Amino acid sequence: MGIPTPDKTDDDFWAAFADLVDPPWNEPAHDDAFTMDERIHDAVRDLADRISTRLLAYRAAGKTPDPVLMAAPDVQLALLRALYEAKQSVDRLAESAATVAGRSGATYAQLGAAWGGIKRQSARLKWPHAVVRKTASESIPLHYAGGTAVVHHDAEADAWWFTATAADQQEWESEPVHASYAEAIAGATEFLLAHTAPDRPASDRPASG
C-alpha cells in the first residue's frame, strides 16, 4: 500500500500527518554511517579549534596553527571535550524528537525501536515525559528547538490551539482552529523551528489557522 503524499493545502493533509507510517524509517547504509561520522567530525573539529588552549595561543601570537597540531595530545583532549558537547547536543535533540513523536501518537515501544532497539521500559526511563495520557481538558507543555509551547483544548470550540515562546524570545498564540492535538503540535513545532537562533532574522509568523 502506497504512502500518501498530500500537500499541506489538501483536505486530507492533517489526517495523513497524524497517521504514523510503518515502518517509520529505512535502515541507514554503511555509506550513510560514514558520512555521518565525517560531518560530526567536521563539527567537533571546528569546536576543538575554537576551544583548544594551544591553538588559541598560536592565533594570539598572530600565527596560523599547522594542521599537524591537531594530533597534539592536548588538542585531542580539546577534541574529546568537543565530542562530549556533541553527545549533549544529540541527547537534547533526541529528547525533542522523542517528545514530538510520543505526544503525536508514537508508543514507547516505537521510540525504543528507533533508538537502536532498546526495550520499551528503557525508552520510558530515558524519556519519561515523551508519551503522556491526554484528555480534552489537559494543557500539554512541549520543549523543542530551544523554545517552549503549550497545547490547549478549547472545549467551547472543540478545537486545539497553542501558545509558544521560541528560542529567540518571539511569542505566538494561535487561534483555536486546529482539529486535533497532532495538528496543533505541528503548528507549534513549525513556529519554534522558524525561530531557533537569537541572531536569526524573524521569519514570517505562521498563519493562526
Side-chain angles (χ1 to χ4, degrees):
M1 190 172 180
I3 299 172
T5 56
D7 294 323
K8 193 175 179 180
T9 54
D10 294 339
D11 292 339
D12 60 342
F13 177 82
W14 290 112
F17 173 92
D19 189 14
L20 196 151
V21 173
D22 187 28
W25 70 87
N26 296 307
E27 286 297 324
H30 287 297
D31 287 347
D32 296 323
F34 290 139
T35 299
M36 181 66 72
D37 285 351
E38 290 172 358
R39 291 179 178 176
I40 292 174
H41 190 240
D42 287 342
V44 298
R45 273 194 65 157
D46 180 67
L47 178 56
D49 185 67
R50 288 184 280 118
I51 66 174
S52 164
T53 306
R54 181 193 295 262
L55 299 183
L56 287 171
Y58 267 82
R59 283 190 288 275
K63 298 181 179 180
T64 300
D66 191 287
V68 74
L69 289 173
M70 285 301 300
D74 49 278
V75 179
Q76 285 295 300
L77 286 173
L79 183 68
L80 187 61
R81 185 64 178 82
L83 284 164
Y84 172 78
E85 290 301 319
K87 180 181 180 300
Q88 295 293 96
S89 293
V90 167
D91 287 344
R92 287 191 294 268
L93 293 171
E95 183 175 8
S96 292
T99 300
V100 172
R103 296 189 181 185
S104 297
T107 65
Y108 274 116
Q110 290 167 323
L111 297 181
W115 195 248
I118 64 174
K119 294 184 180 298
R120 178 184 58 192
Q121 296 89 335
S122 297
R124 187 188 299 275
L125 289 172
K126 188 171 185 62
W127 304 299
H129 306 295
V131 179
V132 296
R133 294 179 180 178
K134 51 185 180 288
T135 66
S137 62
E138 285 182 325
S139 295
I140 305 166
L142 167 72
H143 301 283
Y144 192 68
T148 302
V150 181
V151 178
H152 312 270
H153 183 261
D154 187 312
E156 184 176 347
D158 192 23
W160 295 86
W161 60 286
F162 67 87
T163 57
T165 302
D168 64 357
Q169 301 306 306
Q170 293 287 321
E171 297 182 353
W172 184 246
E173 179 176 318
S174 76
E175 297 294 331
V177 295
H178 301 290
S180 66
Y181 172 80
E183 184 176 330
I185 201 173
T189 302
E190 183 179 28
F191 173 78
L192 295 176
L193 285 173
H195 297 273
T196 54
D199 57 348
R200 176 181 175 180
S203 60
D204 292 339
R205 288 180 174 182
S208 58

